[in-house]
Amino acid sequence: MSTFVKVATRKELPPGGRKVVEVDGIAVALFNVGGQICAIEDVCTHDGGPLAQGVLVSPQIIACPRHGAEFHVCTGKALTLPAIEDVETFPVKVEGEDILIESFF
Ligand code: FES
């Protein structure tokens, strides 16, 4: 069974913003892409780099701060080497001012 848990408010995540939260012991990076809230695991699939500390090379694409692999922040797709595996994505709900992420625990 899953449930959605509040992890942030809209005020904390303005357009273009990002925030790292923890859900079920997993570091999750939230991004506000032009008003759409996206959530991916904050761990690069290449060698564990903290993705949210990277540079946004476009509003939807983050470059890992360690070796530069690029990921789509909404689909989790690995777009460039050295990463070859996608990162996990998490369902997001916005209820009023609250941002919620699906938790399976
Ligand atoms: S740890 Fe992210 S590109 Fe190497």
Side-chain angles (χ1 to χ4, degrees):
M1 199 182 106
S2 73
T3 180
F4 279 81
V5 293
K6 179 182 171 183
V7 291
T9 63
R10 290 180 66 86
K11 200 172 169 187
E12 295 174 304
L13 203 63
R18 65 183 87 166
K19 179 177 171 66
V20 178
V21 299
E22 194 176 304
V23 180
D24 302 327
I26 298 169
V28 176
L30 300 171
F31 297 88
N32 183 333
V33 183
Q36 180 189 2
I37 308 298
C38 298
I40 58 173
E41 189 167 358
D42 189 35
V43 180
C44 180
T45 55
H46 173 240
D47 196 23
L51 291 177
Q53 292 179 28
V55 172
L56 282 167
V57 297
S58 82
Q60 298 172 325
I61 298 171
I62 190 115
C64 177
R66 292 198 57 201
H67 313 106
E70 294 177 2
F71 294 87
H72 194 291
V73 302
C74 293
T75 66
K77 287 272 175 229
L79 302 172
T80 64
L81 294 172
I84 52 172
E85 282 180 45
D86 301 343
V87 286
E88 198 73 39
T89 60
F90 298 85
V92 175
K93 254 204 287 202
V94 178
E95 290 182 349
E97 283 303 303
D98 296 337
I99 296 169
L100 302 91
I101 287 189
E102 191 169 23
S103 162
F104 291 93
F105 295 93

